Amino acid sequence: KAAPVLTLTEGDDTISDNGIVATLDATRLVNSATYISNTDSTINSTYTDEHSVDRFGPQGKKVSFASNNRGRLLELAMNEVELNKEPTIAYSISLLNAEWVALGDMVRVVVPQMKRDDILPVVKSQVAIGKNARTTLTLGNTPLTVEEYIQRVA
């Protein structure tokens, strides 16, 4: 991971408006994945993270994939679960004089009340210029679009 260009904590003087707004989102969560051969449905592999299932409830996904290799299908299922077994977190933070922070920059956010210490990329930046430059940064994952959400639940 790249080093953070900025570290923000609760009570930081540069934070304005609503402070640090955190969003925990489980719409991308997958803790059990089954990959199935697209030519022979009897060839498949499933991987489940039981700890994630116990914490967040079952969130499964089935994928048809062009392979007859069970090992490859298991590897894909494992990767899917390992990348998505936790809810995502995103932060929206309004800052004074932070217009220099660029899309893709890494920002560290420390929120002791939530027991969180995250280093996340800037995925959206809005700058309002008046008497001061006020920048609203969105860090982390962007929410699913309506189309992505419908594909997830279909």
Side-chain angles (χ1 to χ4, degrees), residues 35-50:
Y35 274 67
I36 305 163
S37 168
N38 67 352
T39 58
D40 182 351
S41 64
T42 65
I43 301 172
N44 61 74
S45 289
T46 298
Y47 179 78
T48 302
D49 184 299
E50 295 297 340

Side-chain angles (χ1 to χ4, degrees), residues 91-151:
Y91 294 101
S92 179
I93 307 166
S94 291
L95 302 166
L96 297 174
N97 302 313
E99 64 282 354
W100 56 270
V101 179
L103 291 175
D105 280 350
M106 301 303 279
V107 176
R108 180 175 179 212
V109 181
V110 180
V111 187
Q113 286 181 324
M114 293 178 59
K115 298 180 179 141
R116 301 289 310 200
D117 186 342
D118 299 295
I119 298 175
L120 298 167
V122 176
V123 295
K124 182 177 178 183
S125 176
Q126 295 175 291
V127 180
I129 306 216
K131 290 181 182 175
N132 297 325
R134 174 169 285 131
T135 303
T136 302
L137 299 176
T138 302
L139 313 173
N141 292 304
T142 56
L144 292 177
T145 65
V146 172
E147 181 179 303
E148 289 172 321
Y149 181 73
I150 289 169
Q151 287 177 349

Side-chain angles (χ1 to χ4, degrees), residues 26-33 53 56-61 81 84 152:
T27 55
R28 297 178 197 261
L29 193 135
V30 175
N31 49 31
S32 182
V53 172
F56 307 113
Q59 297 292 325
K61 181 175 184 178
V81 170
N84 299 296
R152 289 277 311 189

